[in-house]
């Protein structure tokens, strides 16, 4: 069994919801946390349904606020974005994830590394240069790197983002549309931007019971993605039943607690060496 992460978000979330003064202090605290490098990445494996192999991992940011406080990004991502701190931190995230991808590859573990990128980072137009430099430094394969873009109304420069995304793909990287189906990532995104992978949000996965609307939607999405040339990844797969159904529907890959929670890089290596399919 892979050790699960310790999270202490509940306490923190309550504090955040309060006053603008606390928001201000969160800003300041995060600034210090970036300066003192109090962040780490956990990784969550992704499995290909057809080959029953672990083929990828998504890097997920954690704030190591104190020795026994590891905080998930829901509590602070929007503050990182609004303060602009996500720019320097985002560079570190890419560098660290790419370094890990290369280190696994050296051990013979070839995983596609999923890296979450905020629209704030895309609007700068510098991300491809950064990626190219870091990939060369780390010695990764571009095709083993997948940039995950989340839905967001905050895309202020859609043309710039579209251009950036296609230049990233042209350079040989993969691009995934994250959280598909919720928020603002609608079908229009598939027209406006170009992707390799579509990640079906877990809102559609938790209830796949016979006759559910969720199941009807996922059933329709799979062939739609296939005809658009997109691979599908189901997020938040927690049970064997969900997995079996997704397998029969023809979804390509799964990610979720059924396989593993987000864990340390070493725990991923261990999981893979023990993994013999489902
Ligand atoms: P996401 O990209 O959709 O990441 C998946 C989230 O679902 C993760 O939450 C993961 O822990 C959680 N999850 C995975 N499997 C299951 C499951 O089976 N059941 C349930 N209930 N949840 C599951 P996490 O790590 O708290 O991250 C939240 C969001 O923060 C991410 O959502 C992503 O949008 C953002 N984020 C995380 N790391 C980064 C990063 O390095 N950069 C940026 N820009 N955003 C990040
Ligand atoms: Ca993601
Ligand atoms: Ca997602
Ligand atoms: Ca999300």
């Amino acid at each position: 069994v892979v050790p699960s992460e310790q999270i202490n978000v509940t306490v923190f979330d309550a504090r955040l919801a309060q006053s603008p003064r606390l928001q201000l202090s969160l800003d300041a605290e995060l600034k210090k946390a970036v300066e003192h490098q109090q962040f780490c990445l956990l990784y969550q494996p992704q499995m290909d349904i057809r080959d029953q192999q672990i083929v990828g991992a998504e890097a997920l940011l954690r704030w190591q606020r104190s020795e026994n406080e590891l905080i998930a990004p829901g509590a602070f991502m929007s503050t990182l974005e609004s303060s602009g701190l996500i720019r320097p931190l985002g560079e570190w995230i890419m560098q660290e994830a790419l370094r890990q991808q290369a280190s696994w590859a050296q051990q013979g573990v070839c995983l596609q590394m999923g890296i979450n990128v905020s629209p704030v980072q895309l609007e700068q137009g510098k991300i491809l240069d950064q990626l190219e430099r870091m990939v060369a430094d780390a010695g990764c394969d571009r095709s083993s790197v997948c940039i995950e873009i989340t839905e967001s109304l905050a895309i202020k420069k859609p043309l710039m983002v579209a251009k950036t995304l296609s230049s990233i793909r042209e350079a040989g990287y993969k691009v995934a549309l994250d959280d598909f189906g919720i928020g603002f990532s609608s079908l229009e995104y598939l027209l406006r931007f170009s992707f390799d992978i579509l990640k079906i949000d877990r809102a559609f996965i938790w209830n796949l019971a016979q006759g559910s609307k969720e199941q009807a939607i996922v059933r329709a999405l799979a062939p739609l993605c296939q005809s658009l040339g997109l691979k599908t990844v189901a997020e938040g797969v927690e049970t064997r039943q969900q997995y079996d159904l997704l397998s029969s529907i023809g979804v390509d890959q799964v990610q979720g607690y059924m396989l593993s929670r987000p864990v340390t890089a070493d725990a991923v290596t261990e999981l893979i060496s023990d993994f013999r399919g489902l």
Side-chain angles (χ1 to χ4, degrees):
V1 175
V2 177
S4 69
E5 53 179 320
Q6 330 122 276
I7 310 183
N8 206 347
V9 212
T10 22
V11 183
F12 201 72
D13 264 346
R15 232 195 63 178
L16 287 185
Q18 293 167 8
S19 71
R21 231 182 89 227
L22 286 174
Q23 181 62 41
L24 239 174
S25 73
L26 179 63
D27 257 26
E29 210 188 327
L30 283 169
K31 190 156 179 267
K32 278 207 191 108
V34 172
E35 279 163 13
H36 296 103
Q37 302 178 323
Q38 292 175 345
F39 292 90
C40 63
L41 296 179
L42 295 181
Y43 300 90
Q44 189 176 38
Q46 300 167 331
M47 191 189 86
D48 188 278
I49 292 181
R50 196 160 311 147
D51 326 331
Q52 298 260 308
Q53 297 276 340
I54 293 173
V55 292
E58 176 176 5
L60 293 161
L61 184 67
R62 294 293 180 267
W63 175 13
Q64 183 87 59
R65 188 160 172 258
S66 64
E67 206 181 325
N68 41 29
E69 229 183 341
L70 201 56
I71 303 173
F76 60 85
M77 185 51 70
S78 63
T79 307
L80 284 179
E81 288 176 332
S82 62
S83 64
L85 283 168
I86 191 62
R87 290 191 193 102
L89 187 60
E91 274 192 64
W92 175 83
I93 291 165
M94 289 197 287
Q95 190 171 32
E96 180 67 13
L98 293 170
R99 202 195 47 73
Q100 186 57 56
Q101 200 281 338
S103 151
W104 275 328
Q106 272 169 6
Q107 300 167 55
V109 177
C110 292
L111 299 180
Q112 180 169 288
M113 178 64 79
I115 304 176
N116 292 288
V117 163
S118 150
V120 178
Q121 293 171 269
L122 288 178
E123 283 166 2
Q124 281 185 300
K126 287 195 294 201
I127 193 158
L128 181 56
D129 289 345
Q130 292 172 347
L131 268 174
E132 290 284 276
R133 181 167 40 79
M134 291 174 189
V135 158
D137 282 351
C140 301
D141 241 14
R142 293 187 184 86
S143 63
S144 301
V145 178
C146 180
I147 300 301
E148 300 194 4
I149 315 293
T150 312
E151 87 291 348
S152 174
L153 245 199
I155 296 188
K156 293 188 199 90
K157 306 174 188 164
L159 283 177
M160 174 66 137
V161 170
K163 229 181 88 195
T164 307
L165 288 183
S166 48
S167 65
I168 291 174
R169 290 189 68 222
E170 274 157 27
Y173 301 91
K174 303 273 190 272
V175 178
L177 177 53
D178 206 350
D179 300 341
F180 185 78
I182 59 157
F184 304 99
S185 70
S186 65
L187 291 171
E188 199 213 348
Y189 265 63
L190 298 180
L191 287 178
R192 247 208 286 181
F193 308 114
S194 57
F195 299 100
D196 302 283
I197 294 160
L198 185 140
K199 299 190 78 172
I200 305 169
D201 192 80
R202 67 167 180 272
F204 296 93
I205 307 300
W206 70 274
N207 176 17
L208 286 176
Q210 200 58 42
S212 68
K213 291 181 182 171
E214 288 85 353
Q215 188 185 129
I217 290 172
V218 176
R219 273 193 194 286
L221 268 180
L224 170 68
C225 288
Q226 204 168 23
S227 41
L228 290 171
L230 294 165
K231 268 203 183 320
T232 42
V233 180
E235 299 194 298
V237 178
E238 295 186 355
T239 69
R240 179 66 201 233
Q241 277 142 304
Q242 292 167 337
Y243 171 84
D244 287 337
L245 206 87
L246 292 163
S247 166
S248 75
I249 289 174
V251 165
D252 297 302
Q253 295 180 9
V254 291
Q255 179 181 346
Y257 296 170
M258 180 198 68
L259 200 59
S260 166
R261 288 185 175 251
V263 292
T264 61
D266 286 347
V268 172
T269 317
E270 217 170 289
L271 178 79
I272 288 174
S273 67
D274 296 343
F275 192 72
R276 301 269 174 279
L278 290 179

